[in-house]
Amino acid sequence: MARPEFNYSSNDITDKDVLYEDNHLIAINKRAGDIVQVDETGDEPLDEKVKKYIAQKYSKPNGAFLGVVHRLDRPVSGVILFAKTSKALDRINKMFKAREMHKTYYAVVRKKPFPEEGTLVHWLVKNSQKNVTKAHDREVQGSLRSELSYKLVGELNGYYLIEVDPITGRPHQIRVQLSTLGCPIVGDNKYGYPRGSLRKSICLHARKLTFVHPVKNEPVAIIAPVPRDGFWEKFEGMMVG
């Protein structure tokens, strides 16, 4: 089952990209290839696109406030949450630090994980110059303890779908920890998959984000549909939620 290649343009955010919005928060279904914040590439980042969307939608000639509370790697798709007020930003930041935000990802790999379900604990060290993270089995200087749980969900034509629930939120955590398990993510040649994707994406999708609203004190569950690229759709029926 070959994965087709698509070229995503830097299209502006539209209503169809918005998964959730109220006066305090806005959640976007991030496209693979979008950067969340400005980097050395100079490409327009997602936070600026969302600011423009809000300013245009609500007729704010002086621009809109937007706070970045977490990030997704550029080649990763899925739900990402922003704060629309400083009050919400402060509270959401505290919730992330307290691990009160529950995230569920799905990854597609070519090797069946063994065991099929488990918990991975590593100590990760990021090389910022090379933008790569290395996993260690024990604590080393400059390392951060990283933990996730995973389980095999299903198989399709030699591809395996894995559900991942990160307990910590470290740079490239899911990518490097699954690779250390012997299951590099499809398209992720930075972490062991034999070839990359021409559209600069990997088969890792942030599917679901659940939390208690920081202002309304109500439960919120945000689900991001998978990319419509002729590949991901085949797996969506296996996903819970």
Side-chain angles (χ1 to χ4, degrees):
M1 185 172 65
R3 189 182 189 200
E5 302 293 349
F6 291 84
N7 291 318
Y8 286 109
S9 64
S10 56
N11 292 333
D12 290 337
I13 294 298
T14 65
D15 290 345
K16 67 180 177 60
D17 299 304
V18 179
L19 300 172
Y20 175 92
E21 185 183 8
D22 61 20
N23 291 335
H24 310 279
L25 305 170
I26 184 169
I28 302 297
N29 193 0
K30 175 186 170 302
R31 296 182 288 261
D34 275 351
I35 54 170
V36 176
Q37 287 183 296
V38 67
D39 66 4
E40 66 278 359
T41 65
D43 295 339
E44 185 181 22
L46 183 59
D47 64 338
E48 290 298 327
K49 295 179 185 180
V50 178
K51 283 182 185 179
K52 289 198 301 187
Y53 167 82
I54 295 172
Q56 183 177 20
K57 181 176 181 179
Y58 299 103
S59 301
K60 295 178 178 286
N62 296 322
F65 174 88
L66 192 76
V68 176
V69 294
H70 68 126
R71 294 164 182 79
L72 294 176
D73 293 346
R74 185 163 194 169
V76 178
S77 60
V79 58
I80 184 163
L81 186 69
F82 297 96
K84 293 172 63 179
T85 64
S86 58
K87 179 181 180 180
L89 176 61
D90 181 63
R91 294 186 180 184
I92 285 287
N93 278 334
K94 291 176 180 176
M95 292 170 68
F96 267 102
K97 290 179 181 177
R99 299 179 184 174
E100 295 171 352
M101 311 288 288
H102 183 259
K103 295 176 283 185
T104 300
Y105 290 74
Y106 283 92
V108 180
V109 301
R110 289 303 302 266
K111 182 179 178 182
K112 185 177 182 180
F114 179 81
E116 294 184 4
E117 182 174 350
T119 299
L120 301 178
V121 177
H122 295 95
W123 280 260
L124 304 187
V125 178
K126 184 177 181 181
N127 183 326
S128 297
Q129 290 184 332
K130 296 182 178 180
N131 192 30
V132 66
T133 297
K134 185 175 181 180
H136 299 266
D137 292 331
R138 58 181 177 81
E139 187 175 6
V140 300
Q141 184 177 1
S143 64
L144 295 173
R145 186 182 184 279
S146 304
E147 181 178 356
L148 62 77
S149 60
Y150 73 91
K151 63 180 177 181
L152 176 64
V153 176
E155 181 270 339
L156 183 64
N157 297 330
Y159 291 87
Y160 297 91
L161 183 67
I162 300 176
E163 181 182 301
V164 182
D165 294 300
I167 289 102
T168 54
R170 312 300 189 195
H172 299 188
Q173 177 180 338
I174 297 173
R175 300 165 65 182
V176 68
Q177 288 196 273
L178 288 185
S179 178
T180 303
L181 183 66
C183 301
I185 295 169
V186 170
D188 196 2
N189 61 341
K190 177 173 285 191
Y191 291 106
Y193 196 73
R195 60 188 180 278
S197 166
L198 293 178
R199 65 188 183 99
K200 298 180 181 179
S201 68
I202 62 175
C203 288
L204 179 61
H205 182 71
R207 174 67 168 178
K208 190 173 183 181
L209 183 63
T210 57
F211 56 96
V212 175
H213 196 286
V215 179
K216 299 178 181 179
N217 200 35
E218 300 171 348
V220 178
I222 305 171
I223 297 175
V226 298
R228 281 358 195 196
D229 61 4
F231 181 82
W232 265 114
E233 300 97 318
K234 296 174 170 50
F235 297 92
E236 193 160 27
M238 302 180 188
M239 299 179 182
V240 178

